[in-house]
Amino acid sequence: MSNVNKFKYFNFLIIFIVLSILGSCLVVIFSLYQLKQKELQMLSSHLYGPSPFVFMSTNKEDSEIINNFSEIKKEAFTVFYEIDELSKGYYFHKENYMPPMIKGRFFDEGDFYNQKKIAVVGKNVSESIIKEIKESDYEIIGVMGADYQSDIDRLVYYNLDSLIDLEKESNPFILVSDKNIEAILSELKIQSFDDVSIIQRSSNGTFNFITDESFHPFLTAIILLLLALYSFTMIYCYYFDKNNEIKILWLMGVHYNSFFRVSIMNFILTFTGTYSLISFFSFVYIFVQSQMERLALGHLNNLIMGFFLILFFSMVGIIYFYIRTILRFRMEEYAK
């Protein structure tokens, strides 16, 4: 290979690597944004999720309702008990959302119905309130807070069963489940809570634009379009630059199928190497920065999906140029 050709090949390789880095960064940035948006959504809704059920009992005391949650075993669910604006009882079965922690830990399943009195507080809860909590014989096991301000910074959560002795009329309970909320509600009624009234909170009031997921499909569609345009542009730049080389090889007796096989292999190896490197650093960043396995695994899943989406769109572009090359050479043969 002449020095001129080596220089051209080196320049094109640099351009292709830069394009690969840009595509990798696009996927990484969108993934990090999506994860942080979901986290912000949960924190801004006090961990309730986008569409929780509110229920109350007109005849039963809170202690009777609380005492029966440990008997529900069918599905994963989380219960919040609204004591007041800033203080809430908390209980989860099987699965729950783990908020970001500054110090200590959040609740786990062993913290409930175990004769314990424990609390988790937000990072902006005042020292006077913390003192009152400790004077009530509660152990504070963790401090919640993200690297930005959110509603959860001022909240206090207590393990729900420690509130069994309350002798008040029923306050609102918030029931959240991603699995089968109807089965859980039916289980409540089986336990003689026929007077339970249920309200589904809608996406209004405090559930505003920040916690509204309705724009997510549009944003996802835009990202998919950008990935498709990016992939096609990258492939177009590559095969446009190789047009003359394909023809020269054709005249030398080398079939274009051979060129496409080699070029596809080179493309996959170069892009995979670049994408893997960018993805690795972004994965390490989010794991170290958040210290949350859930976020790291979510980011990894997004990276894998992004990789295969770019490969898919790129293969569509390669097929387009392959068909175009076939038609081009056929037309030249017919012209002879």
Side-chain angles (χ1 to χ4, degrees):
M1 186 184 291
S2 68
N3 289 335
V4 174
N5 286 337
K6 285 181 179 179
F7 182 74
K8 285 179 64 179
Y9 176 78
F10 180 76
N11 279 350
F12 181 77
L13 183 62
I14 293 297
I15 293 172
F16 184 77
I17 290 174
V18 169
L19 286 173
S20 298
I21 291 173
L22 289 175
S24 304
C25 289
L26 178 63
V27 174
V28 167
I29 291 169
F30 177 66
S31 174
L32 293 176
Y33 166 80
Q34 185 186 50
L35 292 172
K36 284 297 182 182
Q37 180 64 27
K38 285 183 177 180
E39 181 179 76
L40 179 59
Q41 178 183 331
M42 290 298 293
L43 300 185
S44 298
S45 60
H46 298 190
L47 309 186
Y48 290 165
S51 187
F53 280 80
V54 180
F55 70 91
M56 298 176 65
S57 174
T58 55
N59 298 321
K60 300 292 187 299
E61 292 181 350
D62 290 340
S63 57
E64 293 182 76
I65 299 175
I66 291 171
N67 206 26
N68 279 272
F69 283 125
S70 63
E71 304 300 321
I72 302 175
K73 300 296 182 184
K74 284 190 175 181
E75 304 286 348
F77 66 93
T78 302
V79 174
F80 301 86
Y81 174 65
E82 296 192 332
I83 301 171
D84 55 43
E85 185 182 351
L86 301 179
S87 304
K88 304 179 189 302
Y90 183 89
Y91 174 73
F92 81 93
H93 173 60
K94 292 184 180 178
E95 295 177 11
N96 74 322
Y97 176 84
M98 298 290 291
M101 302 298 294
I102 292 177
K103 186 170 62 176
R105 64 177 179 85
F106 198 61
F107 297 98
D108 59 41
E109 287 192 271
D111 293 325
F112 304 105
Y113 295 96
N114 216 1
Q115 288 78 52
K116 294 181 179 180
K117 294 182 73 174
I118 55 179
V120 179
V121 301
K123 64 182 181 182
N124 289 342
V125 173
S126 67
E127 288 297 325
S128 60
I129 294 177
I130 290 176
K131 183 179 178 182
E132 289 177 14
I133 294 169
K134 290 180 177 178
E135 287 176 349
S136 300
D137 297 326
Y138 278 89
E139 176 192 359
I140 297 176
I141 61 171
V143 179
M144 303 175 288
D147 51 0
Y148 47 82
Q149 296 294 317
S150 67
D151 289 353
I152 204 170
D153 297 342
R154 59 195 180 94
L155 296 180
V156 179
Y157 287 109
Y158 302 95
N159 59 313
L160 187 71
D161 51 297
S162 70
L163 307 174
I164 283 179
D165 293 334
L166 290 178
E167 295 182 357
K168 300 178 181 177
E169 292 300 318
S170 182
N171 281 346
F173 288 85
I174 313 298
L175 186 61
V176 180
S177 175
D178 293 331
K179 304 298 181 183
N180 186 357
I181 200 163
E182 295 300 330
I184 299 164
L185 293 171
S186 298
E187 185 75 9
L188 271 176
K189 293 183 178 180
I190 289 172
Q191 295 178 34
S192 302
F193 290 97
D194 295 326
D195 61 332
V196 167
S197 58
I198 300 166
I199 305 168
Q200 186 168 10
R201 286 188 173 175
S202 57
S203 298
N204 54 39
T206 56
F207 288 82
N208 53 24
F209 182 76
I210 289 178
T211 62
D212 185 12
E213 290 185 320
S214 61
F215 68 96
H216 286 181
F218 298 102
L219 183 60
T220 302
I222 291 171
I223 292 297
L224 287 175
L225 180 61
L226 287 175
L227 285 179
L229 290 173
Y230 155 78
S231 302
F232 189 83
T233 300
M234 184 168 56
I235 295 301
Y236 181 85
C237 289
Y238 180 80
Y239 284 106
F240 182 81
D241 183 76
K242 296 296 182 180
N243 261 334
N244 290 333
E245 184 178 336
I246 294 172
K247 186 164 185 178
I248 291 170
L249 290 172
W250 172 262
L251 293 174
M252 291 172 61
V254 179
H255 199 275
Y256 49 78
N257 282 350
S258 300
F259 174 84
F260 271 92
R261 277 196 298 270
V262 173
S263 66
I264 289 171
M265 185 60 65
N266 288 339
F267 162 74
I268 291 175
L269 290 174
T270 304
F271 177 73
T272 300
T274 306
Y275 188 90
S276 299
L277 189 64
I278 299 295
S279 297
F280 173 76
F281 284 119
S282 71
F283 180 80
V284 171
Y285 163 76
I286 195 169
F287 186 79
V288 172
Q289 189 261 348
S290 68
Q291 293 293 315
M292 296 178 72
E293 183 180 347
R294 171 185 52 80
L295 284 180
L297 290 176
H299 183 53
L300 180 62
N301 181 63
N302 289 340
L303 292 174
I304 293 171
M305 287 180 61
F307 174 74
F308 284 108
L309 279 171
I310 290 176
L311 278 188
F312 171 76
F313 290 132
S314 298
M315 288 303 112
V316 171
I318 290 172
I319 291 170
Y320 164 78
F321 278 98
Y322 180 73
I323 294 172
R324 181 180 170 184
T325 301
I326 293 174
L327 294 175
R328 172 189 169 193
F329 285 116
R330 283 182 179 176
M331 288 179 64
E332 290 184 2
E333 286 179 353
Y334 289 146
K336 293 177 182 179

